[in-house]
Amino acid sequence: MTKAIRKLTAATLLSTLKACGYRVFEGELNLNIIGIRHNNTRANTFNDVICVLYQQSGEWQLKQYKATTDAGTYWRTNPMNVSGTAVLIAGQHKSLWKLGYHQGKYRALVQHKPVVVLRDNDKNTELDTEVTPQAELQQGYFGINCHRANSKTTSTQVDKWSAGCQVLANPNDFDEFINLCDQSAAKYGPYFTYTLLNQSDIAKPTESK
């Protein structure tokens, strides 16, 4: 059974980012937005996490939110794009997002720069996330946003909530997240880098059954 992603620490994430060679943003409320994709890519649940790592009064702070970095099974078996379901590849995507409105409906982080996605077109429930020589990669604007699921309650099934977006399960978590983005944007501007890690990138002491 694949181990769940448990509560992380700022120190663990900082060491992981540095070990992977990714930039760490420093300074008061300069946000590091980090997704961690669970090893289980069959699940239709919010088994991933999105973390916000930042400095406040010289101390590192960490918020960790239940999320999905993967499309739900509906869009895996019924791809929105003829080339297949969009899978954001792991890595550091610089200035990927800016503050805006998801589908014009509510404030969220929306795609600002072209991004590379893998296209999974076998229409089964397992999502292909590994970049192989055979994988079909596309670069462009695909609406890879960061938004919430249900506006009233915590969602447990991804279903149609994500066709490739990064989605928070709890609306209160999302409100807190956007508030942090607003505070950061007031100091550094409205653009945000997103770093997507795999669960295997994180040191084992941060995982539990």
Side-chain angles (χ1 to χ4, degrees):
M1 182 176 177
T2 308
K3 295 179 180 179
I5 302 170
R6 66 175 265 187
K7 190 73 174 175
L8 301 169
T9 66
T12 295
L13 278 181
L14 285 167
S15 62
T16 300
L17 290 173
K18 290 173 182 175
C20 292
Y22 296 140
R23 180 180 174 185
V24 174
F25 295 90
E26 298 182 349
E28 184 81 1
L29 286 165
N30 197 1
L31 304 187
N32 296 272
I33 303 175
I34 305 155
I36 302 168
R37 175 177 279 147
H38 196 282
N39 290 335
N40 180 0
T41 54
R42 291 189 183 90
N44 187 40
T45 57
F46 290 84
N47 63 340
D48 305 324
V49 298
I50 288 178
C51 297
V52 186
L53 178 68
Y54 59 97
Q55 289 178 310
Q56 195 164 31
S57 301
E59 298 292 329
W60 283 104
Q61 309 293 323
L62 176 63
K63 302 288 185 180
Q64 180 172 327
Y65 305 121
K66 189 179 287 285
T68 183
T69 64
D70 302 327
T73 51
Y74 177 84
W75 295 116
R76 298 178 206 177
T77 55
N78 302 275
M80 187 181 293
N81 187 293
V82 293
S83 298
T85 305
V87 181
L88 184 63
I89 65 168
Q92 187 164 66
H93 304 279
K94 296 179 180 177
S95 300
L96 172 61
W97 291 323
K98 66 178 180 179
L99 283 163
Y101 286 82
H102 178 62
Q103 297 178 342
K105 297 176 182 177
Y106 62 89
R107 295 185 73 246
L109 295 185
V110 299
Q111 188 178 346
H112 166 63
K113 279 190 171 182
V115 71
V116 176
V117 299
L118 184 156
R119 290 292 180 182
D120 180 352
N121 204 21
D122 55 20
K123 299 182 181 178
N124 64 17
T125 56
E126 175 154 12
L127 207 62
D128 299 326
T129 60
E130 187 176 352
V131 177
T132 65
Q134 293 77 34
E136 180 179 351
L137 301 179
Q138 292 183 351
Q139 183 176 29
Y141 290 91
F142 308 114
I144 304 296
N145 298 343
C146 182
H147 62 91
R148 57 158 170 77
N150 192 290
S151 63
K152 304 295 184 186
T153 62
T154 301
S155 299
T156 57
Q157 298 292 111
V158 180
D159 297 329
K160 292 185 180 180
W161 286 118
S162 174
C165 289
Q166 314 294 284
V167 182
L168 277 68
N170 181 291
N172 295 325
D173 286 350
F174 185 73
D175 289 345
E176 180 180 72
F177 172 71
I178 289 297
N179 181 53
L180 284 170
C181 291
D182 282 333
Q183 293 180 64
S184 182
K187 294 175 69 68
Y188 304 102
Y191 306 111
F192 296 89
T193 290
Y194 179 55
T195 306
L196 179 57
L197 303 171
N198 291 312
Q199 184 181 8
S200 56
D201 294 326
I202 307 297
K204 288 184 179 179
T206 66
E207 301 174 0
S208 67
K209 293 182 180 178

